[in-house]
Each structure stands twice: as structure tokens, then as C-alpha cells.
């Protein structure tokens, strides 16, 4: 009896084996590197020979005069990115689901994911043009409504908004894909039943499509919570400037610019570890809450 | 019934199609700009005069790219990487997602396994230990270095297991009664019923491999071994002029060549086309909800 | 049916994988076998060779020794087909003439600060995976020195450096070598460069000056007048007020063009130098009152619309657009602007006449440009060469430097061979000198080119063209004068005899104009910890003052903040260092 059960489970362990082996080597192998966060790392001595200095690396970053401002910027920008990068793609997937003309649907799908493939270096140059207060097309539109032009990239009050909006513009198409797959999750027979009951499209969307997408939405929401300290290095690095440091400088750009990445490995690793711990906290809490309250395992 | 909904439906449709069209226009803009720049006169592009239409139309930049091997060598490496990388990654990811999709009761230990997986996306040892590990496994400067270390895509795995969980349990149980084992169930039932999410995950994997450039630069020991995006990274750099003061005159003459936006744009455009073709190809697998319904009855 | 197709695709993918696994594992075997050959080659001959006291600067090792290095190229570099970092005229020459078998551990494209080369090298240093000869920037040099990973080169240089290399290293009071010296030991060989090359100059559209009947600038008030006129008197003649007086990028005072360095120097203000005050102490120039005066002027100009209000988000490349499209006719820059962006401006508008001027002063004291230390501390490729501690034959690195100096500049010794610099003829702009493992350029290279061209053009002095670099530029200049060849424009306004970029540097040199940082030690402890924060504070404050976001008096607050946040401590450390130098 026992051995029969074991025989039945054996393939499941076997299926996990390749992935586990790869993770063991390439993810858990380097994990000892976390120790560097507590060291004054010296290349000549390596991870196991460098002297330990406790929490000094963390303290050093914390004591820098700009750290608190930078953390605030990071969390604010990341928070709005997380919300919008979930909500808008879901909306877009639902809207696309309503499109009956196949060619149109496919074209829109393909086109909106175009910007995802252009780098921020390139988009940075284009955005400076588009958003320019004097010549940019966006401000031309704003001016035509009789408003004063906005310096989206140079005004500290608008910079965060610009970052979140342009990020959405670049990523929305790509983020929609997974929800388009989730839409297909709904059982067609439910729609048929709903039509017979006289439910309109809106009711169907609300009562059938959305609930069937829910597991994926919850999964993505949980995982994206882990990004609460990732506000997007590449984007901000290519778009910011001294005049918007006060609202636009984030943890990653800050650490990069003050040169910690280059040689102060201890400090750089400490920052990374801090981010990991925060992510882990958010994800674990949501995982266990979902499990306790709804008896649902997110993953 | 149809007449009852039609008016609000029409209003909605007008709004919906209009909105989507507008969105597409916005998304298309930077791409058209790149195309226009690539077909323009070099100094007009440098003067920032090119918007959506080429200025002094010319194919010069494309001729320049086609006359040099670098682009196509790198493109070849990228294609190899995507093929090998996506195949490998899909294989291990699908295999891992299946057991993880079981209930804890049916497969004791799956939750522990799941956390072992998730832990790796939360914590990492940093660049240096990562590099040293890859070096130690002896795959530095080979295609494997770009493919093996990231083969287990934990995010994709979680996505897959979530979809797998949504499949009707009755099918699985019936198959067991018929004497099928886990391998057949995965191959015959789960995979065929999950085409939309498999297409999604394939797309993610392919795009991930296509887009990554940093590993190429760090793990390859010669620019001739760079995949396309790593190569582009060396071409489309921001000009950092702080060390130019001591530039050699022979090199200085070439400055205008690397700052040439038309050539950069041409390469960006050409590098984006292949990956754009992947999506429409995969799109047909997104319609598979119907299959699921028919199986259920 | 779809299901079947998907399955088939997956099967095909699997098969492809299998093919790959076999193919690639074979490739791996190959690389492994070459590695074993390499390591055995390093072991055998090195044991005795050093014992002989043969100090010939170009002495040959017999049997040959093996050394390793890494190569960091620039995106600019182009090589002829078939010439690779591993096999080229230099590696062949090393083996044939010096008995050195040069192995290239890896090569990478991207030598800009923070670029691919620097990153890859940082990883190599951190994982202690270093070649024998390590090209580094100042930051990495310090790291290697701090970790005891750099070999002492003092003896090797004293014994083996050729007269030519010694001459190069002695230029500029030997400052370059001092920056590579720690506690009396030379731990890094600097790549000598011309300190004058970083001096600022003013580029102005002479055609605009003439059109508006403005005098050439002699003082800062002329500059302010020109800036005003270029803004308000429609220099491009399109009846629109769409031009700016002077250019500026978001980097404000770095980058070598569209920046303020030369402007500030007109007010005797320097961005970041340690200079002697009246009491003989070293003080930080960025917080001196002259800076406030200059910033106040800039704020006025900004408010008067003479500076692009959007400059704060634009980098150099973006500002170049305004130069090329004829919206800006005056900018502070460097000699190499002759190559970037001015040729594009000339192409876009052949009527544009760009003329460089020396920086001018706001009062009766001359304006003195800041100049370098004779080494490029930020360049990872052309900064320093370090020899790995514990590797055999540190003197071989000096020999390689001698070899470079001889092949590139040995017109007197007869060692010169143009084939080592570039192919001849060279219509595609291929380079070869970048393949060299160790560089030792002549710091006077550029100025010698200029003086050679000038002597040849003005006095028809054919002897001056013995310097083949001068001859090369002379030929290009002639081509531009005779045929108005567009492609030669850059060289012509760079090295031509009159009113060219190098003529300005020559003027500075002849008049002994130039001031360099009096602190040239490696970063002090406080600098390591605090300087980047202070730099950020300075850049942010200056930008805000300039744009009028804060009043000019915010400068005083900046000064006291700067002192509080570590500046005072830094000043003390720098003065301690200075006292120890005497």
C-alpha cells in the first residue's frame, strides 16, 4: 500500500529534479554572496576570508543624508507603478476581449506591445522631444486647451507622474498578454448559461470573466508587491536630471550614482539584501494571509 | 434581446475601438520615429529634424549595416540562444509546474518545493558570486552560459501551476482509473488543455532571451560571441564624453560614425523585427478556451 | 489538430536541444584542451629568465615567456578583417622581437566610464580572476593597491624604461607617475597624456559674429554681449526668436562640451580643484566666492532667455541637435569638438563657420584654464597599467611600454613603423594601435601634430613632416583646402595652422596658461565615503541657482552644508597629505 503510493509520487519528484538541480547550482550556489553584506569585502581574500563588520554597511547607507528622501521616492513611484501596471493591463485585456473583429484585435495586441522592445536610452531621447514644453506634441495639445505647458521631465512636481505614465506606456502591451491568456480560462458553458439568463455583457464580464481571471490576478499582484523597492533603474537613469533629484532619485540610481556599485561591494550587497528582505516580507505576508483567511495557496 | 442591448453596445463599441486605436497610435509613434530616422540623411538626424517622416530619404544606413558582418553574426547567436534557451527553459519549467500544481494532500512536500523556488526570485548572492559560480561550472564564453543559469523561470512556473490548478480534476481522476501515469497525464491532458498559457510562457521565455544583454557582455569573452542585444548595447551607447580629451586623432575621425543616429536606428529597427514576428504566430493559441469547454462536456 | 501540432513543435525543440548538447560539449572540450596548453606554457620558462641582469629596454626573452592581459575596446574601434585581439601585428611583434607570448584572457567593447569594460573588469577584480597585465582606471588602481594586488614597478621602471618612455613620463613634472606612486613605490604605470588636452575653449559661429557686426571676444563682457545678441538679434535670420546665446547640458560642468568649466574660469572659479589660498593652505575651489559671482551671472542669462530653459533634461547629444540645426552659435567646449559635433554642423549648413577662441577673463587678470595631471584617471583603457602581484617578469610590462613608444614615436631611433598604428593606405579608418597590450603615447602628440602642420603650411618646412602623424594631418588639411572635402573638415579645424582647436592649446602652452589640481594623491577616507554625496549636492545646488529655482544666496547655504557634511574633514586630510609631500 505504502510502496504503491510511493510509486505514484515518484514521478512527481523526478519531474522536479532538473529544475531543482539547476536552482541548486545557479541560484543557491551563489547565495553565500549574501555574506558580503556584512563584510568589508576584499577581493584578494574572497567571501570566506574577508573580515566581518556587522551591520556597518547598512548603517553607512542609512546615515547618508539623502537616503530617507530616496526611499520615499522609491516607494511612491513603485507603488503607483504596481497598481497601474496591474489595473490597466487587466482593463485592456477585457476591452480586447470585447473586440469581435479578429484582425483588429490581433493588430492592436501586436502594436501596443511594440514599445516594450525599445530601450530606455532610445525612448529617453524621443520622450524629451514629445514632452518638451516648447515644441512637444503633448504640450501642444495641452496648450490648445488653453492651459500652460508642463515641463514633465524637468518639474519635480510632475516627474513622478511622468515616470509612472511613461512606464505604463512602454509596458502595458506586454503586461496584457498574460491576462489575455487568463481570459480564455473562463468556461464557455458559463457564458451560454448567462446568456440564457439574460445577463448582458457587462454582467458577464463582472460575474464570469473577472472571477475566472482571479487566480492569475492574485498571483501577479502578490509577486509585484515584491517590487515595492524596485522603481525601475533603467528608466529613471535615462530620464532624470539634477533638477528632479528631489522627487525622482530612487534607491537604485542613488546607489549607482554615488559609486557604490563600482567597488564597495559590501554596501552594494547590503542594499540588495535590504530590498530582498522587504520583498520577502510583503510576499510572505500576502501568501499566509490568503492561506489563513481564504484557505487559498497563491502558489 | 439583441435589440435591447444594441444601443449601449454600439456606444461602447465606438468608445472601445476608438480607445484601442488611440492606444495603438501612441505605441506606434516611437517605432515610426526609429524607422524614419534610419531612412534619413545623417546630419538631418543629428540635428533632430526627423520626426515621423524621413528627411532626404536614403538607404545609406542599411547599406552600412549590411556591409559589416557584426550585426548578422550577433543575430545568428541570438537565434541560437533563443531556440536552445526557450526549449530548455520550457522543458524544465513545464516539468516543475506539473507536480507543484498538485494539492499538498496529493503531493506532500509541494509547498516546501514551491517556497524553494520562490526563494530564488527573492534572494540572490549578487553579481560576483553569480559570475564565479558560472565560471566554476566551466560554461563561461559558451552558449550554455546564457542558457543554463536562467533556465528555471520561476515566475513562468508559478503562472503555469496556477493554470494547471484550474483544470478540471475529474479528467485527471478518470485517467488514473484508466491506468494512466503522471507522465501521460501531463503530456496528454495538461499540455493540450493549456495552450493559451503555454503560448504566453513561451513568449515570455523567448522575449526574455531575446532582450537580455547584460549576461552576454559579462559572460562572453569576446565581442564576436555577443548575442544581438549585447552587440546593440555596444552600439547604442550614450556618448560618455568625459574621457574624450585625450582621444587619438585617428579615432576622433570615427566619432561621427558611432554617433551616427541613422545607423543606430537601422540596427534597432532590424533587431526588433524578428521578435515582433513571434507574437502574431503565437496568438492563435490564445483562443483555446473553446477546447476546454468541449472537453468538459 | 492544434494539440498535435504543438506536441510536434515541442518534440522538434527537444531534438534540437539534443543536437545542441552534443555540439556544444564538443566545443567545450576544445577550449579545455587549449587551456591546459596555456598553463603548461606559463610554468616552464619563467623560472630562470629574470635572474640575468640584462637591462636592455627591448631585450628579447629566450625562450619566450607567456603573459596575459585583457583588452577593452571602444565602440569607435574598427579593425581590418582577419585582425583579432588574439592575433595581430602587435602580438606577432611581441613574440618575434621581445619573446613575449601575449595571451588575451578576454576582450570587450565599451571603454566609457561605467561601461561594459569597466564592469567586466570590476568583476574580474572582485573575483580575483586577473591577468598579469591589468589596464585600470584610478578607482580600480586604488582597489588593487589597497588589496595588495599590484606589483612594485619602481625598480623595473628605473632599470628598463627606455629614454623615450622616460621622457614621456617626465612630462608635466612627472605628475602622472606620482599619481601611480604609493608610499614611494610605483604600483601602476600611467598612460601619459597631454595635460593641456582638457583645457576649455570657446567655439563661436564666426559667420554670426560678422553678420551681427560683433567683435571677437576679449573679455567676459564681450561673451555676455554675444550671448545677448545671439539670443535677441536673430542670428540665423529666420525672423523668429528661436536661438539661444550659449549652450548648456544637464551635466552642467562636465563632459567636455556644452558645459561651464571655461565660463567659470573666466571668473577665476574652478569646479573641483584643490588650490592654494593666500595662507598657503589647500582649499576646495567649488565653494569659493568667485563661484557665486559666476553663478549670479548665469542666473541672469537664464532669466533673460539666453539659455535653453529645457537644458536641464538634455544631455550632450541632445544639445548637439541645437548646434547642428543652427539654434546655438556659441558653446564652451574642448579641442575634440572639431570632430564632434562640428562636422555635422558643417554638413547640415556649409555656411556655418566655427572658430575657437581661448577663454576670456572678467577682469584684468588672465583667465587660466584648468588642465589635467597628465593621466586620464577615468579611462579604464587608457588610464593605468598594473602588473599583478606575484606574477613573474614585471619588467616585461615596461618593455612592452618601451616597444609601444618605439613603434609609434621612434622616428629618431628608427623603430617607428606606421604599420603598427594603422594599415596603409587606410580608407576605412581601421586602427591597429589599440591592439597593443601596454600603451605609452607621447603626451605631446597632438601639439606636435599641430606644430608640424603649421611649420609645413606656413614655412613649407618639409622636415617638420618627418613626424608621420603630422604628415597625415597635413595631407588631410591640404585635401580640405584644395577639394573642400567634407570628410576632412574635422581634421582641418582641429590641426590646421590658424584659428583651429590645437592652435588654442598651443597658445595656452606658449603663454604657460594652465592650472592643475594640487592634490594628486589617491582619494582620502572621507572622499571615499562622502565625495559623491557632496558632488551631488553641488550639482543640484548649482543647477537650481542657475535656473532661478533658488536665489543666488543659496550658495552660502551650500558652502556651509558642504563643510558640515564632510568637506571640512576632507580639507584637513588634503592638507595633511600636502604637508607630507614637502
Amino acid at each position: 500500500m505504502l510502496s504503491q503510493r510511493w510509486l505514484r509520487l515518484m514521478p512527481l519528484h523526478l519531474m522536479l529534479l532538473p529544475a531543482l538541480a539547476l536552482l541548486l547550482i545557479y541560484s543557491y550556489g551563489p547565495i553565500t554572496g549574501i555574506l558580503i553584506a556584512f563584510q568589508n569585502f576584499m577581493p584578494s581574500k574572497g567571501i570566506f576570508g574577508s573580515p566581518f563588520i556587522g551591520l556597518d554597511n547598512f548603517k553607512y547607507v542609512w546615515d547618508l543624508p539623502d537616503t530617507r528622501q530616496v526611499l520615499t521616492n522609491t516607494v511612491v513611484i513603485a507603488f503607483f507603478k504596481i497598481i497601474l501596471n496591474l489595473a490597466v493591463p487587466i482593463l485592456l485585456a477585457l476591452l480586447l476581449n470585447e473586440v469581435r473583429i479578429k484582425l483588429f484585435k490581433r493588430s492592436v495586441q501586436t502594436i501596443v506591445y511594440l514599445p516594450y522592445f525599445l530601450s530606455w536610452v532610445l525612448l529617453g531621447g524621443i520622450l524629451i522631444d514629445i514632452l518638451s514644453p516648447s515644441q512637444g506634441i503633448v504640450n501642444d495639445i495641452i496648450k490648445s486647451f488653453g492651459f500652460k505647458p508642463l515641463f514633465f521631465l524637468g518639474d519635480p512636481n510632475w516627474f513622478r507622474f511622468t515616470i509612472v505614465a511613461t512606464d505604463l506606456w512602454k509596458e502595458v502591451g506586454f503586461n496584457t498578454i498574460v491576462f489575455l491568456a487568463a481570459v480564455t480560462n473562463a468556461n464557455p458553458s458559463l457564458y451560454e448559461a448567462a446568456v440564457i439568463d439574460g445577463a448582458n455583457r457587462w454582467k458577464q464580464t463582472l460575474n464570469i470573466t473577472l472571477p475566472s481571471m482571479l487566480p492569475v490576478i492574485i498571483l501577479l499582484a502578490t509577486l509585484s508587491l515584491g517590487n515595492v523597492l524596485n522603481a525601475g533603474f533603467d528608466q529613471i537613469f535615462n530620464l532624470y536630471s539634477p533638477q528632479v533629484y528631489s522627487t525622482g532619485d530612487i534607491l537604485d540610481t542613488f546607489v549607482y550614482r554615488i559609486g557604490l556599485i563600482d567597488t564597495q561591494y559590501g554596501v552594494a550587497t547590503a542594499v540588495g539584501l535590504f530590498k530582498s528582505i522587504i520583498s520577502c516580507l510583503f510576499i510572505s505576508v500576502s501568501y499566509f494571509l490568503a492561506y489563513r483567511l481564504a484557505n487559498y495557496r497563491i502558489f | 434581446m439583441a435589440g435591447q442591448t444594441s444601443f449601449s453596445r454600439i456606444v461602447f463599441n465606438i468608445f472601445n475601438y476608438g480607445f484601442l486605436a488611440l492606444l495603438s497610435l501612441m505605441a506606434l509613434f516611437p517605432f515610426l520615429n526609429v524607422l524614419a530616422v534610419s531612412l534619413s540623411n545623417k546630419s538631418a538626424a543629428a540635428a533632430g529634424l526627423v520626426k515621423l517622416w524621413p528627411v532626404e530619404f536614403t538607404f545609406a544606413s542599411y547599406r552600412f549595416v549590411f556591409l559589416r558582418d557584426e550585426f548578422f553574426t550577433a543575430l545568428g547567436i541570438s537565434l541560437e540562444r533563443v531556440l536552445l534557451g526557450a526549449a530548455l527553459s520550457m522543458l524544465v519549467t513545464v516539468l516543475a509546474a506539473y507536480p507543484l500544481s498538485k494539492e499538498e494532500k496529493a503531493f506532500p512536500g509541494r509547498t516546501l518545493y514551491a517556497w524553494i523556488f520562490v526563494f530564488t526570485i527573492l534572494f540572490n548572492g549578487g553579481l560576483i558570486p553569480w559570475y564565479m559560480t558560472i565560471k566554476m561550472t566551466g560554461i563561461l564564453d559558451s552558449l550554455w552560459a546564457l542558457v543554463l543559469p536562467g533556465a528555471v523561470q520561476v515566475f513562468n512556473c508559478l503562472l503555469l501551476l496556477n493554470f494547471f490548478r484550474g483544470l478540471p480534476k475529474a479528467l485527471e481522476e478518470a485517467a488514473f482509473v484508466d491506468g494512466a501515469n503522471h507522465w501521460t497525464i501531463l503530456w496528454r491532458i495538461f499540455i493540450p488543455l493549456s495552450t493559451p498559457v503555454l503560448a504566453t510562457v513561451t513568449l515570455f521565455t523567448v522575449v526574455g532571451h531575446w532582450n537580455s544583454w547584460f549576461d552576454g557582455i559579462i559572460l562572453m569573452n569576446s565581442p564576436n560571441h555577443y548575442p544581438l542585444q549585447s552587440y546593440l548595447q555596444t552600439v547604442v551607447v550614450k556618448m560618455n564624453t568625459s574621457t574624450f580629451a585625450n582621444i587619438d586623432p585617428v579615432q576622433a575621425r570615427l566619432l561621427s560614425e558611432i554617433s551616427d543616429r541613422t545607423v543606430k536606428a537601422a540596427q534597432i529597427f532590424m533587431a526588433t523585427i524578428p521578435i515582433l514576428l513571434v507574437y502574431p504566430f503565437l496568438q492563435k493559441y490564445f483562443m483555446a478556451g473553446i477546447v476546454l469547454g468541449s472537453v468538459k462536456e | 489538430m492544434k494539440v498535435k501540432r504543438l506536441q510536434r513543435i515541442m518534440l522538434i525543440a527537444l531534438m534540437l536541444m539534443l543536437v545542441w548538447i552534443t555540439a556544444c560539449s564538443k566545443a567545450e572540450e576544445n577550449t579545455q584542451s587549449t587551456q591546459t596548453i596555456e598553463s603548461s606554457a606559463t610554468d616552464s620558462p619563467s623560472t630562470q629568465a629574470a635572474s640575468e641582469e640584462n637591462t636592455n629596454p627591448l631585450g628579447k626573452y629566450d625562450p619566450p615567456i607567456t603573459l596575459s592581459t585583457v583588452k577593452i575596446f571602444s565602440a569607435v574601434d574598427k579593425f581590418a578583417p582577419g585582425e583579432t585581439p588574439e592575433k595581430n601585428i602587435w602580438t606577432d611583434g611581441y613574440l618575434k622581437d621581445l619573446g613575449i607570448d601575449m595571451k588575451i584572457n578576454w576582450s570587450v567593447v565599451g571603454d566609457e566610464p561605467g561601461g561594459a569594460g569597466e564592469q567586466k573588469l570590476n568583476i574580474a577584480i572582485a573575483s580575483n580572476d586577473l591577468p598579469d597585465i591589468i589596464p585600470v582606471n584610478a578607482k580600480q588602481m586604488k582597489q588593487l593597491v589597497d588589496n595588495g594586488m599590484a606589483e612594485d614597478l619602481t625598480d623595473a621602471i628605473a632599470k628598463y624604461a627606455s629614454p623615450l618612455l622616460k621622457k614621456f613620463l617626465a612630462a608635466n613634472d612627472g605628475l602622472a607617475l606620482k599619481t601611480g606612486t604609493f608610499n614611494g613605490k610605483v604600483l601602476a604605470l600611467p598612460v601619459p597624456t597631454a595635460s593641456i588636452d582638457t583645457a576649455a575653449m570657446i567655439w563661436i559661429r564666426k559667420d554670426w559674429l560678422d553678420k551681427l557686426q560683433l567683435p571677437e571676444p576679449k573679455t567676459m563682457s564681450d561673451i555676455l554681449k554675444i550671448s545677448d545678441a545671439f539670443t535677441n538679434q536673430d542670428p540665423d535670420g529666420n525672423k523668429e526668436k528661436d536661438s539661444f546665446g550659449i549652450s548648456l547640458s544637464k551635466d552642467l560642468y562636465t563632459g567636455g562640451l556644452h558645459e561651464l568649466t571655461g565660463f567659470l574660469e573666466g571668473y577665476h572659479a574652478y569646479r573641483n580643484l584643490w588650490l592654494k589660498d593666500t595662507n598657503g593652505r589647500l582649499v576646495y575651489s567649488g565653494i569659493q566666492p568667485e563661484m557665486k559671482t559666476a553663478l549670479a551671472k548665469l542666473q541672469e542669462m537664464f532669466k533673460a532667455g539666453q539659455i535653453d530653459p529645457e537644458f536641464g533634461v538634455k544631455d550632450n547629444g541632445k544639445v548637439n541637435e541645437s548646434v547642428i540645426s543652427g539654434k546655438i552659435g556659441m558653446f564652451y567646449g574642448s579641442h575634440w569638438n572639431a570632430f564632434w559635433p562640428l562636422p555635422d554642423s558643417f554638413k547640415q549648413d556649409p555656411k556655418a563657420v566655427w572658430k575657437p577662441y581661448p577663454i576670456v577673463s572678467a577682469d584684468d587678470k588672465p583667465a587660466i584654464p584648468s588642465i589635467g595631471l597628465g593621466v586620464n584617471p577615468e579611462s579604464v583603457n587608457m588610464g593605468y597599467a598594473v602588473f599583478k602581484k606575484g606574477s613573474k617578469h614585471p619588467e616585461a610590462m615596461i618593455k612592452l611600454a618601451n616597444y609601444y613608444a618605439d613603434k609609434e614615436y621612434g622616428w629618431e631611433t628608427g623603430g617607428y613603423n606606421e604599420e603598427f598604428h594603422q594599415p596603409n593606405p587606410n580608407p576605412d579608418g581601421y586602427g591597429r594601435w589599440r591592439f597593443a597590450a601596454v600603451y605609452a603615447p607621447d603626451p605631446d602628440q597632438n601639439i606636435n601634430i599641430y606644430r608640424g602642420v603649421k611649420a609645413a603650411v606656413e614655412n613649407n618646412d618639409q622636415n617638420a613632416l618627418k613626424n608621420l602623424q603630422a604628415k597625415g594631418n597635413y595631407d588631410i588639411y591640404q585635401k580640405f583646402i584644395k577639394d573642400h572635402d567634407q570628410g576632412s573638415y574635422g581634421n582641418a579645424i582641429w590641426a590646421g595652422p590658424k584659428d583651429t582647436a590645437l592652435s588654442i592649446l598651443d597658445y595656452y602652452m606658449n603663454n604657460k596658461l594652465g592650472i592643475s589640481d594640487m592634490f594628486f594623491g589617491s582619494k582620502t577616507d572621507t572622499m571615499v565615503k562622502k565625495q559623491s554625496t557632496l558632488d551631488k549636492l553641488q550639482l543640484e545646488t548649482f543647477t537650481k541657482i542657475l535656473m532661478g529655482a533658488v536665489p543666488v544666496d543659496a550658495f552660502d547655504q551650500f558652502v556651509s552644508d558642504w563643510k558640515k557634511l564632510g568637506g571640512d574633514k576632507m580639507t584637513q586630510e588634503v592638507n595633511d597629505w600636502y604637508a607630507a609631500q614637502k
Side-chain angles (χ1 to χ4, degrees), chain B residues 43 144 218 241 245-246 261, chain C residues 24 107 120 255 321 335 348 376:
Chain B
S43 59
W144 291 107
I218 298 299
T241 51
N246 306 112
R261 288 189 197 171
Chain C
C24 288
S107 55
K120 205 160 156 63
E321 290 180 4
H335 71 93
Q348 186 67 11
N376 198 334

Side-chain angles (χ1 to χ4, degrees), chain B residues 242-294:
Chain B
S242 52
T243 55
F244 278 12
N246 306 112
I247 200 162
D248 178 90
V250 179
Q251 269 193 314
R253 291 197 70 190
L254 298 173
L255 272 182
S256 68
E257 198 169 279
I258 58 157
S259 66
D260 186 345
R261 288 189 197 171
T262 60
V263 172
K264 287 182 190 178
Q267 301 196 59
I268 290 170
F269 186 76
M270 286 166 66
T272 318
I273 295 302
I275 194 70
L276 289 183
L277 296 179
V278 175
Y279 193 27
F281 168 76
L282 283 171
Q283 266 171 3
K284 55 177 166 236
Y285 296 107
F286 280 75
M287 311 298 175
I290 306 109
V291 181
L292 178 60
S294 59

Side-chain angles (χ1 to χ4, degrees), chain B residues 42-43 46 68 135 144 187 192 214 218 220-221 223 226 241 245-246 248 251-254 257-259 261, chain C residues 3 7 24 75-78 107-108 119-120 129 255 316-317 321 335 339-340 344 348 376 434 445 487 491:
Chain B
K42 177 171 151 351
S43 59
R68 304 180 76 177
K135 187 175 152 65
W144 291 107
W187 187 247
F214 185 72
I218 298 299
M220 291 296 163
N221 282 344
Y226 285 177
T241 51
N246 306 112
D248 178 90
Q251 269 193 314
R253 291 197 70 190
L254 298 173
E257 198 169 279
I258 58 157
S259 66
R261 288 189 197 171
Chain C
V3 174
Q7 283 178 342
C24 288
V76 182
D77 292 320
K78 280 204 299 186
S107 55
V108 64
Q119 288 178 5
K120 205 160 156 63
D129 182 18
N316 289 333
E321 290 180 4
H335 71 93
F339 297 103
W340 194 73
D344 277 327
Q348 186 67 11
N376 198 334
R434 285 287 250 189
Q445 166 176 316
N491 282 72

Side-chain angles (χ1 to χ4, degrees), chain A residues 41-44 60 65-66 125 128-129 132-134 151 153 240-243 245 249 257-258 262-263 265, chain C residues 114 118 122 125-126 128 139 143 147 149 250 309-310 312-314 318 528-529 532-533 536 539-540 543 547 565:
Chain A
F41 180 69
M42 299 170 111
S44 48
Y60 169 72
D66 296 321
I128 289 174
D129 281 340
S132 157
S134 56
F151 197 0
L153 288 168
Y240 79 161
S241 54
Q243 54 189 324
Y245 279 171
D249 202 7
R257 198 183 53 255
I258 64 179
D262 306 334
T263 47
Y265 298 102
Chain C
E118 188 174 330
N122 278 337
I125 294 173
N128 203 358
K139 245 185 295 182
Q143 208 191 358
N147 276 285
M149 291 157 101
K250 69 173 173 182
E310 291 165 40
V313 300
K314 295 184 174 176
K318 201 78 197 163
V528 170
K529 287 206 186 90
S532 33
T533 311
K536 181 196 163 191
L539 180 62
E540 211 176 340
T543 307
M547 303 182 71
L565 291 172

Side-chain angles (χ1 to χ4, degrees), chain C residues 292 295-296 299 541 545 550-560:
Chain C
K292 192 176 172 182
L295 288 174
Q299 196 186 61
T541 313
I545 293 178
V550 293
V552 180
D553 284 336
F555 182 78
D556 303 326
Q557 182 63 38
F558 159 71
V559 173
S560 73

